Every structure is written in structure tokens, then in C-alpha cells.
Amino acid sequence: TCGTTVSSLGATISASPALFAQQYEFRIRLTSDNGPEPTYYYTVPSASRFSSLSAFQGVTLQYSTSYTVSVRYMIMNGTTPVWSNFGPACAVTTPSFPVTEITPSLCGLSTTGLDQTLTIVPYPGFPTYRVTLFEQVGEDLIPVGSI
């Protein structure tokens, strides 16, 4: 996923396997927060080298935003846990805000009443929708209201 735009805010991220690693911990920051003391957010350490962007604690990821991610791992030295340094960071960009549409078969239809049922092409993971109605006046579209 390094250097890519992921498909969702909950996309899976992974670390390369580390020999004898017992836990992995990911950290993330805004790529633009590159000052001397950036604000990092972390995942809960896990035995899995796989995590997701939605697993970071205390951050609300934004759409169309670049984040820098790195990972560290823990091995046991006898009975003492030893954490590595965080490895090389890479940038991941979140997707654009998802949009959908009115069911295409309804487009262009005339109606005589104000009780027309509208159906929406569903977008996975989004249970509610807002429809904005526009009135066309000449070349302009004027918002009439939202439902």
C-alpha cells in the first residue's frame, strides 16, 4: 500500500515479517505534519503483522489525505520484551469522499406528483444518504432542498 491511494478508510496495511517478532505496533501521522515533533497515533500492539487504517487510536482519518505510516516489532530477549525502532515510513493516501447517484432508470423521468419515490445506488458501508434537489433555471442549477 506504500505510495498508493487505498480503496477505503479501513484498508488493510501490513508489515514485512520480522524474525522472532511476537508483536507489531503501527504508527501514523499526517504527512503534512513533518515538523520536529509530529503528532503520532498508534495501533494497539498485536501478534499480527496485519492491521487496518481504522485501527489507529485517537485519530479520525480524513478523505483525500496523505498519511505517513511506520511499524515496529517486539522480540523477547529471554524474559525481557525488546522493541525495535520504527522502520522506514511510507505515505498512504486515503480515497476521495464516496459519492453515488439516483438509480439511473429514474433519471430524466417526468413526474406529475411530489411523492415520487427515489432509490439510490447503494455504496458499501454507508447506510444513510442525503439527496439534494435542484431546479434548473436557464443554465443555472439552484438547490431547492435536501431530503
Side-chain angles (χ1 to χ4, degrees):
T1 55
C2 287
T4 66
T5 298
V6 295
S7 60
S8 73
L9 293 181
T12 298
I13 56 176
S14 64
S16 297
L19 193 60
F20 303 116
Q22 296 199 352
Q23 291 194 323
Y24 295 84
E25 180 183 40
F26 293 83
R27 74 178 180 183
I28 195 170
R29 68 173 172 83
L30 281 166
T31 300
S32 61
D33 185 4
N34 57 4
E37 294 182 28
T39 301
Y40 286 103
Y41 301 93
Y42 298 85
T43 61
V44 173
S46 169
S48 175
R49 64 183 186 90
F50 298 93
S51 189
S52 74
L53 290 178
S54 60
F56 291 95
Q57 306 292 302
V59 63
T60 301
L61 299 177
Q62 302 298 312
Y63 289 100
S64 301
T65 304
S66 178
Y67 292 93
T68 298
V69 181
S70 57
V71 64
R72 69 179 184 161
Y73 62 91
M74 185 269 292
I75 61 171
M76 294 300 290
N77 182 4
T79 58
T80 304
V82 178
W83 283 94
S84 71
N85 292 325
F86 279 93
C90 75
V92 174
T93 302
T94 55
S96 300
F97 189 84
V99 295
T100 189
E101 62 188 353
I102 302 293
T103 304
S105 62
L106 297 175
C107 293
L109 295 180
S110 296
T111 182
T112 57
L114 298 176
D115 60 350
Q116 174 70 42
T117 299
L118 299 175
T119 55
I120 308 294
V121 176
Y123 193 92
F126 288 79
T128 58
Y129 302 89
R130 168 171 279 166
V131 176
T132 302
L133 303 173
F134 293 90
E135 179 180 353
Q136 185 167 358
V137 178
E139 297 288 320
D140 298 324
L141 290 176
I142 300 170
V144 175
S146 294
I147 53 172

